[in-house]
Amino acid sequence: MMNRAVFLDKDGTLIKDVPYNVNPDLIELSSGAVEGLRSLQAAGYKLIVISNQSGVALGYFTEEMLLPVRLKLTQLLAEFGVKLTAFYYCPHHPEGKIPEYKISCSCRKPEPGLILRAAKENHIDLANSWFIGDILNDVEAGHRAGCQSILINNGNETEWVFTSRRMPDYVATNINDAAKKIIKKTFAFPQSKMINYVSHQCL
């Protein structure tokens, strides 16, 4: 049985952006995150984090140092009844300083590799799933994986280079706003079906 999911960028989307941070004490959920994630979870969406963590390749921190970050984020959300299904990150960067991570990979957004892996491992129906992120690389990654994408327009996108894959399906102010758009579309009742339903009820 296939699940539907909302894939979430971490820094700048799910939590407030502190560049290259691995200090759990500095992790703070973004405004509107709790309300939005609760709504999405109640609507039947799995919640999966997809994050670029180039700080590993650049030598700012190790992969092991990301574990407390993941645990703190999971704990914070659990306090509000929100469960993360999974957490995926890409440690690579083509200009990295650590040789084993200095590669051009298929998992660094805007490449869709992590989303495709997450979908396979968690039985996700990508056509009925969404990606929420704060830059157009997130939008592109979601579209390339076969999802619909929402851009959180909070000032973190600075280049605004558009292609067909980098055009968001919706633009939102925060995760809660994005969740409202997703849920509205998820449970929309097509007009043609409504007419048929009303006609049937009037027989």
Side-chain angles (χ1 to χ4, degrees), residues 48-189:
I48 299 175
V49 171
I50 304 288
S51 179
N52 287 351
Q53 293 296 318
S54 60
V56 176
L58 297 171
Y60 297 147
F61 50 81
T62 66
E63 285 196 71
E64 289 73 21
M65 295 171 72
L66 288 170
L67 179 58
V69 172
R70 175 179 179 176
L71 293 175
K72 179 60 178 290
L73 181 56
T74 301
Q75 176 187 350
L76 279 177
L77 292 173
E79 290 173 1
F80 295 100
V82 176
K83 178 183 177 182
L84 279 183
T85 296
F87 183 109
Y88 295 85
Y89 66 89
C90 169
H92 310 118
H93 195 287
E95 298 178 5
K97 296 180 180 179
I98 309 301
E100 58 265 42
Y101 297 107
K102 185 180 179 180
I103 61 172
S104 295
C105 63
S106 63
C107 59
R108 177 175 169 79
K109 297 175 292 183
E111 296 292 332
L114 282 184
I115 306 173
L116 297 175
R117 175 185 164 192
K120 182 178 180 180
E121 294 179 355
N122 296 280
H123 309 290
I124 303 300
D125 177 5
L126 290 171
N128 287 305
S129 296
W130 297 75
F131 198 108
I132 302 176
D134 63 330
I135 62 174
L136 293 178
N137 277 355
D138 297 319
V139 170
E140 181 178 345
H143 282 157
R144 290 174 69 179
C147 302
Q148 299 174 85
S149 295
I150 295 181
L151 176 70
I152 303 296
N153 188 12
N154 56 10
N156 289 339
E157 176 57 68
T158 58
E159 297 181 355
W160 297 105
V161 177
F162 288 104
T163 65
S164 59
R165 286 175 170 171
R166 293 169 70 84
M167 293 292 293
D169 295 282
Y170 296 100
V171 176
T173 55
N174 57 31
I175 290 178
N176 192 34
D177 185 26
K180 291 177 181 178
K181 298 178 189 303
I182 291 172
I183 292 169
K184 182 177 180 180
K185 183 165 184 181
T186 300
F187 296 104
F189 207 72

